[in-house]
Amino acid sequence: MAAGQQWVLVEMVQAFYEAPAYHLILEGILILWIIRLLFSKTYKLQERSDLTEKEKEELIEEWQPEPLVPPVSKDHPSRNYDVVTGPPSHKIIVNGKECINFASFNFLGLLDSERVKLKALSSLKKYGVGTCGPRGFYGTFDVHLELEERLARFMGTEEAIIYSYGFATIASAIPAYSKRGDIIFVDEAACFSIQKGLQASRSFVKHFKHNDMEDLERLLKEQEIEDQKNPRKARVIRRFIVVEGLYINTADVCPLPDLVRLKYRYKVRIFLEESMSFGVLGEHGRGVTEHFGVNIDDIDLISANMENALASIGGFCCGRSFVIDHQRLSGQGYCFSASLPPMLASAAIEALNIMEEDPGIFRLLQDKCKHVHKALQGTPGLKLVGEPLAPALHLQLENSSGSRTEDLKLLRAIVDYSLDRQIALTLARYLDKEERFLPPPSIRVVVTVEQTQEEIQTAAQCIREAALNILKR
Amino acid sequence: MTESAGNKNEDCHAANGVKAGRNGMVKNHHHHHQCQKQEEVYHAACNGELYSRPFIESFEETPMLVAVLTYMGYGILTIFGYLRDFMREWKIEKCHIAREREEQKDFVPLYQDFEDFYTRNLYMRIRDSWNRPICSAPGATFDLIERSSNDYNWTFEYTGRVVKDVINLGSYNYLGFAENTGASATAAGEVTVKFGVGMASTRQEMGNLDRHEELEKLVASFLGVESAMAFGMGFATNSMNIPALAGKGCLILSDELNHASLVLGARLSGSTIWVFKHNNMQSLEKLLREAIVHGQPRTRLTWKKILILVEGIYSMEGSIIRLPELIALKKKYKAYLYLDEAHSIGALGPCGRGVVEYFGLDSKDVDVMMGTFTKSFGAAGGYIAGRKDLIDYLRTHSHSAIYATSMSLPVVEQIITCMKCIMGKDGTTIGRSRIQRLAENTVYFRRRLREMGFIIYGNNDSPVVPMMLYMPAKIGAFGREMLKRNIGVVVVGFPATPIIESRARFCISAAHTKEMLDRALDVISEVGDLLQLKYSRHKVLPSLDRTVDEE
């Protein structure tokens, strides 16, 4: 085939001469480039500096880490706790002195209830204390199932799920539904456990001004415009609004009917945190939905802890089965943690029984809240923050000294003064560096049904005296 | 350097003089007269002088045929899953799944379809193996409430019957303190009547009782450290305190198989997280060197501090952390060690003080000792212990102290009583004898299971015994067959374990008597023959033929 080959060679040489110049130049450059790449040194993206072993050892020797924790000064305000001896009930013994309790969230006075204690005791005699396992692995007891059913029935929802720790409830619920890429609209005054839930979910978080529905609507409208630019993406991004029924930091109620209206207008789901309003608001204590007369199915998820009104430990979420059932496999605090000790669940069931038998207790609590609110008005130098129907109010300094530590010192002095005169109060505690919107320092005043008129008057008088003595400038 | 664990009992062990591999593992070719064809991997301690006792862990390789069959099984299930989804979509099959409200149909769907594929089509079939309700204390035996399902596990009804005295191989009741009688229950009962159960306030506000402080002092003396702090939930102890210890600019080195709470705590802290291979000290050393020599990835600044997160006993693998090597590494590279002893506190060590005592090390070498009270103390909650400055910092900066309700008093009382019992401070030897019984039970149970031919993972001394099932159908079958014969076991599959390595996990307790264990072992052997679970290719001589006594 020599002739054929020769013929091909001639053709090639001819094509070579006939090709346009730019073509030849381009091919020439490409060939040179390939040769260069073949012979150049390969480099990695992360340049490994050519340190010798000796240099590496020196670096390792020299490196000094920071201490594991920074030192805490001796007069840090939260270093020394107030010590309570004896039961934390209406008459509480703080630092050796018996005081009237205006500091524990014992709204319905059930911490002391004999019925609850006896029920817990009988449960202890049957089950022991611990459950020794998560819900999936023989940690489900009949009392847990009973409590879930009772809570769902009480609130009027399809299903409820219990957690063994109040803080972990909303902090596990939010990340179970909202993932990276989803959008959450949350109030600025949201409590710390909601903030941790938002952080764990890795979603986009947009804060709106506290209880400001116009600000929220503005944010929702902005999001709507974004959606129209990219409808495909908008079809898979979930949106949520997270609000509290009764805010723990500002002691006021969220405007729920407006929120529901916004929900249907902009197609966002609502998660409602009712730790402070469960067992407080509403005719039967069902919370802020009953208070406003909103249909409970309009709220996608209600979360509350059982540590305030129910005087037990733990928390629960309730809502439709479609929503709640998902948490049984993806709620981290539910699947990977031991279940609630059965005696605490029994105590909660008994507390629910008491709440159902006597709905007048909520009316009583409301009246007391109004009394306390009125009595604390007009304290010189202190302003009362909170609505008349909120059971946990804040007393803030009217004129801040400018430095948070100074303000805290003054407020602590007022608290100490009150403790000396047998009124137990406490400072509202926050983690200064971690809170997104740090509330101003304040004294927490909690109303319970067990406080009598005289006690309320005495407390108000005492606080007035303390303010006069300590805050006179 | 190549000293193997002086394991003279087992026939197939690393002979002295065999060179250890790069990661401390010694590949064995068994030349014994009981010749094996398959290689087996034993983890032998390679730094003989660091380990005062033999460290024997084994993770037998999955047999090839079993792996293939398992993948096939999952493949068939997936195909059927798609088929069933199709039929449900077109209403050929009745749909039991809960549906969104009519009024909210035009909202963005709450769940993606593929997220729930596994739940709908695989988990649902064997859902009755989990969430089994009981109605007695979770001791050595419990009473199970019987459930039945008419629609293939979509809904359950209670038949009304209670299955009594089911042997409990599932609850984390290592020392048997989950009982409703005894000193701890009495003490807790007294406290319930006197103090009530709730607290209604946080530690920093009005919820700090003298009993809490007493508990913390007791925990500190139990562990041999300066100071300790207790929290109401074990999971939250990790997720709330790791962010207080590490932050931006810090590096967290976390084991591959760490618990969800450690992973969540690391994520919430905002630090950079690097993962090292499970229990592999060479992988960890490599990461440490790289971290210190090269600094932070883009800015090349040095790291502020390095925190290593490990667990004492890994409950899914049954492996024990290689603590002596880890402490040597930590000292050399000046990193901080966070040890999560959720499963190992009370369960390891001659006095029940955990994995540090088990290896004979100094608890001052571990910077942060964390543990839970749920497992060995039959209560609830967690603790962190260490130096006084660490605990003072946590008292002021821990999320739990500021925002979470403090521990319930009956629970605190239970922990105090159990801890005193273990320490011997109540004047009895109950604690001591329970620890001994747990160790004996563990060794006996593991040895018998090995002899029967099952594949068991983990360390010889760990009371958590994972037994391999592999195939998806056997997960459900094993759980059900054991329950039929009155034994309650825990089975785990994906996503808690890798997809083909599903297993049954037994938790041995000091409350189990030898008769219970023997009965359980006979039943396991019977079910194992029925379901063909005896995969192990490694033969172990039954104890009668051994020449040397076991330790």
Side-chain angles (χ1 to χ4, degrees):
Chain A
M1 305 302 279
Q5 267 183 342
Q6 227 176 14
W7 172 80
V8 168
L9 202 59
V10 165
E11 288 274 336
M12 272 172 67
V13 173
Q14 226 176 359
F16 200 65
Y17 279 118
E18 282 174 15
Y22 69 88
H23 193 101
L24 289 173
I25 291 170
L26 187 63
E27 300 233 348
I29 291 174
L30 281 173
I31 290 173
L32 284 172
W33 189 256
I34 291 172
I35 294 172
R36 178 173 172 245
L37 281 179
L38 278 172
F39 284 108
S40 70
K41 248 175 73 166
T42 50
Y43 68 97
K44 293 196 194 99
L45 273 169
Q46 197 180 7
E47 84 252 30
R48 298 247 157 249
S49 45
D50 297 327
L51 293 173
T52 62
E53 277 306 311
K54 183 157 166 295
E55 283 170 347
K56 286 190 185 169
E57 289 298 327
E58 268 176 27
L59 279 171
I60 291 172
E61 281 276 325
E62 284 168 5
W63 180 67
Q64 279 299 334
E66 274 181 11
L68 181 57
V69 288
V72 174
S73 68
K74 275 205 167 27
D75 50 344
H76 193 282
S78 16
R79 187 175 164 155
N80 300 310
Y81 298 163
D82 291 321
V83 179
V84 175
T85 40
S89 49
H90 178 58
K91 292 263 165 57
I92 189 171
I93 306 177
V94 186
N95 296 336
K97 262 205 164 64
E98 186 178 289
C99 307
I100 304 169
N101 196 347
F102 278 85
S104 301
F105 293 125
N106 183 14
F107 304 140
L108 301 177
L110 293 173
L111 275 183
D112 241 348
S113 157
E114 280 308 310
R115 275 174 65 175
V116 169
K117 287 185 195 175
L118 286 172
K119 195 75 189 297
L121 184 64
S122 70
S123 182
L124 169 65
K125 291 208 167 90
K126 187 173 173 199
Y127 300 105
V129 175
T131 56
C132 296
R135 287 290 291 261
F137 303 153
Y138 304 110
T140 305
F141 285 56
D142 45 355
V143 278
H144 295 136
L145 300 171
E146 196 190 328
L147 178 59
E148 288 181 352
E149 199 206 333
R150 289 293 304 279
L151 282 167
R153 208 164 1 122
F154 179 75
M155 293 295 283
T157 60
E158 284 178 21
E159 202 174 323
I161 180 174
I162 19 181
Y163 284 81
S164 54
Y165 204 50
F167 186 98
T169 312
I170 191 72
S172 300
I174 296 178
Y177 301 100
S178 185
K179 313 277 183 200
R180 205 192 279 269
D182 296 331
I183 303 177
I184 308 185
F185 301 95
V186 69
D187 192 298
E188 274 180 0
C191 66
F192 197 70
S193 44
I194 295 181
Q195 290 174 35
K196 286 293 129 184
L198 297 172
Q199 196 184 351
S201 73
R202 300 199 258 207
S203 315
F204 288 121
V205 177
K206 303 202 168 140
H207 296 266
F208 61 91
K209 293 201 191 47
H210 177 55
N211 270 353
D212 188 345
M213 289 299 106
E214 273 138 26
D215 200 32
L216 174 58
E217 188 147 14
R218 174 184 63 85
L219 286 172
L220 288 167
K221 279 205 172 72
E222 274 172 22
Q223 185 56 39
E224 211 178 19
I225 298 172
E226 281 291 320
D227 289 344
Q228 277 157 5
K229 285 189 203 149
N230 195 344
R232 263 184 78 187
K233 196 166 147 208
R235 248 181 287 138
V236 288
I237 299 179
R238 294 170 278 229
R239 304 121 214 276
F240 303 96
I241 298 178
V242 179
V243 282
E244 291 183 46
L246 195 61
Y247 286 90
I248 189 172
N249 290 339
T250 54
D252 49 7
V253 185
C254 73
L256 198 59
D258 294 328
L259 282 166
V260 174
R261 191 180 44 81
L262 284 174
K263 164 185 170 157
Y264 285 112
R265 166 90 176 69
Y266 293 96
K267 315 243 183 300
V268 237
R269 296 174 200 268
I270 300 185
F271 285 176
L272 188 60
E273 221 282 323
E274 289 222 73
S275 292
M276 302 297 277
S277 53
F278 178 78
V280 172
L281 295 180
E283 199 190 314
H284 294 100
R286 297 203 176 103
V288 74
T289 47
E290 203 186 18
H291 180 75
F292 284 114
V294 167
N295 178 7
I296 199 149
D297 281 337
D298 280 334
I299 311 294
D300 294 90
L301 180 91
I302 296 182
S303 144
N305 71 20
M306 303 194 285
E307 292 159 357
N308 300 338
L310 278 179
S312 180
I313 303 279
F316 70 93
C317 288
C318 61
R320 295 185 66 242
S321 292
F322 174 71
V323 180
I324 298 295
D325 215 35
H326 183 70
Q327 279 181 56
R328 293 203 195 270
L329 284 178
S330 36
Q332 292 224 313
Y334 181 82
C335 302
F336 296 110
S337 178
S339 48
L340 185 65
M343 57 185 294
L344 300 175
S346 300
I349 295 176
E350 193 59 27
L352 256 185
N353 285 344
I354 296 177
M355 277 167 68
E356 282 182 346
E357 284 164 19
D358 180 20
I361 203 173
F362 306 113
R363 181 86 240 159
L364 189 56
L365 181 62
Q366 293 285 305
D367 289 338
K368 299 244 187 256
C369 290
K370 287 203 192 78
H371 281 310
V372 173
H373 194 262
K374 209 164 87 176
L376 287 175
Q377 295 277 24
T379 321
L382 292 175
K383 70 172 186 257
L384 185 66
V385 172
E387 288 187 12
L389 43 66
L393 304 161
H394 289 267
L395 279 170
Q396 292 173 6
L397 285 173
E398 228 161 56
N399 304 312
S400 162
S401 70
S403 133
R404 198 181 168 94
T405 25
E406 283 308 310
D407 288 348
L408 280 171
K409 280 208 185 94
L410 286 171
L411 291 170
R412 179 76 214 181
I414 298 180
V415 167
D416 286 331
Y417 187 98
S418 314
L419 279 172
D420 278 336
R421 280 154 193 70
Q422 298 182 303
I423 303 287
L425 292 171
T426 180
L427 286 175
R429 304 277 183 179
Y430 304 103
L431 195 53
D432 292 2
K433 299 212 174 49
E434 304 272 332
E435 284 262 6
R436 188 85 195 230
F437 298 96
L438 186 59
S442 64
I443 298 177
R444 214 193 281 285
V445 182
V446 179
V447 186
T448 72
V449 282
E450 291 179 318
Q451 291 156 357
T452 61
Q453 275 285 60
E454 300 90 60
E455 285 167 350
I456 296 174
Q457 289 304 327
T458 325
Q461 185 62 20
C462 175
I463 295 175
R464 209 162 288 138
E465 269 175 33
L468 274 171
N469 284 341
I470 294 168
L471 295 177
K472 60 175 185 283
R473 285 293 184 93
Chain B
M1 224 297 267
T2 57
E3 204 69 47
S4 80
N7 181 12
K8 297 181 190 55
N9 318 331
E10 304 276 315
D11 296 302
C12 306
H13 63 277
N16 283 348
V18 174
K19 197 161 181 303
R22 275 178 67 235
N23 50 3
M25 298 205 292
V26 183
K27 283 231 165 82
N28 276 313
H29 292 274
H30 306 302
H31 302 300
H32 204 267
H33 64 261
Q34 304 209 320
C35 189
Q36 265 62 49
K37 299 143 225 140
Q38 199 69 3
E39 272 182 10
E40 187 166 322
V41 175
Y42 263 99
H43 292 250
C46 67
N47 290 330
E49 61 272 12
L50 284 179
Y51 288 85
S52 57
R53 56 190 295 160
F55 185 88
I56 308 160
E57 271 189 359
S58 80
F59 300 92
E60 191 175 323
E61 250 182 81
T62 310
M64 177 59 84
L65 179 62
V66 173
V68 167
L69 286 174
T70 311
Y71 280 123
M72 270 176 57
Y74 277 108
I76 295 174
L77 280 169
T78 314
I79 295 172
F80 269 89
Y82 282 122
L83 178 65
R84 299 289 283 276
D85 275 346
F86 176 77
M87 285 175 25
R88 273 190 278 261
E89 174 97 23
W90 290 96
K91 309 266 193 293
I92 304 172
E93 186 183 322
K94 192 165 91 156
C95 186
H96 302 266
I97 310 170
R99 288 266 182 239
E100 178 68 276
R101 281 175 84 203
E102 278 308 318
E103 296 90 332
Q104 291 178 213
K105 277 277 190 240
D106 51 350
F107 281 43
V108 175
L110 193 53
Y111 314 118
Q112 306 286 23
D113 270 337
F114 64 83
E115 261 175 47
D116 282 346
F117 181 85
Y118 180 82
T119 314
R120 276 197 307 275
N121 298 308
L122 275 78
Y123 172 76
M124 272 302 171
R125 290 169 182 269
I126 46 176
R127 194 161 83 114
D128 58 316
S129 315
W130 295 291
N131 294 303
R132 290 182 175 158
I134 72 178
C135 57
S136 73
T141 62
F142 55 60
D143 300 334
L144 195 74
I145 299 176
E146 218 186 20
R147 314 184 278 185
S148 69
S149 176
N150 295 330
D151 49 6
Y152 299 102
N153 290 345
W154 285 96
T155 57
F156 289 109
E157 284 98 35
Y158 297 106
T159 61
R161 275 208 315 271
V162 170
V163 184
K164 287 219 171 272
D165 293 329
V166 178
I167 297 183
N168 185 1
L169 288 176
S171 295
Y172 305 133
N173 182 20
Y174 299 130
L175 291 178
F177 282 116
E179 49 195 8
N180 53 357
T181 51
S184 53
T186 327
E190 283 169 20
V191 165
T192 311
V193 169
K194 197 166 147 218
F195 288 80
V197 293
M199 269 303 129
S201 193
T202 65
R203 284 299 290 280
Q204 283 198 2
E205 293 187 12
M206 202 50 72
N208 178 45
L209 267 66
D210 51 351
R211 285 314 257 172
H212 291 133
E213 304 201 331
E214 209 182 299
L215 169 65
E216 291 174 352
K217 285 201 195 77
L218 188 62
V219 170
S221 85
F222 181 76
L223 295 168
V225 287
E226 286 175 20
S227 180
M229 185 170 178
F231 306 92
M233 186 195 195
F235 185 98
T237 308
N238 279 332
S239 64
M240 294 207 226
N241 290 309
I242 297 179
L245 297 174
K248 270 201 158 44
C250 303
L251 175 65
I252 290 187
L253 296 171
S254 155
D255 188 293
E256 221 179 355
L257 298 176
N258 267 341
H259 189 253
S261 57
L262 288 166
V263 173
L264 182 62
R267 272 209 296 124
L268 287 177
S269 69
S271 323
T272 312
I273 307 174
W274 288 355
V275 173
F276 63 92
K277 295 202 186 60
H278 175 59
N279 226 1
N280 189 327
M281 295 299 120
Q282 276 72 17
S283 166
L284 175 61
E285 181 160 17
K286 192 162 133 230
L287 287 180
L288 277 167
R289 288 183 79 86
E290 190 174 316
I292 300 180
V293 167
H294 291 115
Q296 298 189 33
R298 276 171 307 163
T299 57
R300 294 278 175 240
L301 293 167
T302 53
W303 295 104
K304 286 198 201 148
K305 54 184 138 169
I306 301 183
L307 186 64
I308 307 176
L309 299 181
V310 288
E311 292 187 40
I313 291 184
Y314 290 89
S315 60
M316 280 301 157
E317 301 285 310
S319 51
I320 299 183
I321 181 71
R322 294 165 177 279
L323 201 57
E325 291 173 51
L326 184 54
I327 291 194
L329 266 183
K330 166 199 105 93
K331 283 183 177 160
K332 179 173 172 195
Y333 293 99
K334 293 178 263 203
Y336 298 114
L337 182 57
Y338 184 106
L339 181 64
D340 177 343
E341 291 205 81
H343 286 269
S344 53
I345 189 73
L348 283 184
C351 299
R353 309 298 161 100
V355 71
V356 171
E357 198 201 12
Y358 175 74
F359 285 112
L361 299 167
D362 189 1
S363 53
K364 297 200 178 21
D365 285 332
V366 180
D367 302 287
V368 189
M369 293 181 73
M370 178 264 169
T372 61
F373 299 120
T374 328
K375 281 100 189 173
S376 299
F377 301 96
Y383 66 84
I384 289 197
R387 290 179 27 190
K388 188 159 182 313
D389 53 355
L390 167 71
I391 301 297
D392 281 340
Y393 182 79
L394 285 179
R395 280 197 213 283
T396 50
H397 287 84
S398 162
H399 306 182
S400 169
I402 302 173
Y403 295 106
T405 311
S406 47
M407 287 170 82
S408 167
L409 274 181
V411 171
V412 170
E413 201 59 38
Q414 160 90 2
I415 302 167
I416 291 179
T417 324
C418 289
M419 211 173 253
K420 283 191 175 153
C421 181
I422 296 175
M423 289 165 88
K425 278 195 179 160
D426 60 345
T428 65
T429 52
I430 297 180
R432 194 91 203 198
S433 65
R434 283 187 189 204
I435 297 170
Q436 220 162 342
R437 196 142 31 102
L438 174 65
E440 282 165 11
N441 283 355
T442 304
V443 169
Y444 175 68
F445 196 79
R446 278 180 167 266
R447 182 170 56 78
R448 284 285 307 274
L449 278 180
R450 268 234 168 69
E451 285 168 8
M452 286 177 194
F454 293 101
I455 297 184
I456 310 286
Y457 274 11
N459 194 303
N460 271 13
D461 286 321
S462 119
V464 177
V465 187
M467 184 181 95
M468 302 312 286
L469 299 172
Y470 297 114
M471 298 181 200
K474 295 192 187 181
I475 305 174
F478 189 74
R480 289 174 195 149
E481 291 296 321
M482 293 298 284
L483 189 59
K484 267 195 222 154
R485 293 164 176 77
N486 249 26
I487 307 216
V489 297
V490 158
V491 287
V492 245
F494 183 79
T497 62
I499 187 121
I500 62 164
E501 288 176 15
S502 19
R503 57 200 73 172
R505 193 181 67 174
F506 305 115
C507 291
I508 309 301
S509 161
H512 288 136
T513 59
K514 189 139 187 307
E515 292 77 40
M516 281 184 206
L517 286 183
D518 282 334
R519 165 129 203 286
L521 286 162
D522 291 335
V523 169
I524 294 173
S525 187
E526 190 190 324
V527 174
D529 286 327
L530 180 67
L531 297 176
Q532 298 188 16
L533 291 172
K534 298 187 177 175
Y535 299 117
S536 178
R537 253 77 69 74
H538 165 218
K539 289 243 182 306
V540 177
L541 284 179
S543 58
L544 294 169
D545 298 352
R546 285 168 195 277
T547 48
V548 182
D549 271 323
E550 266 189 37
E551 267 186 290

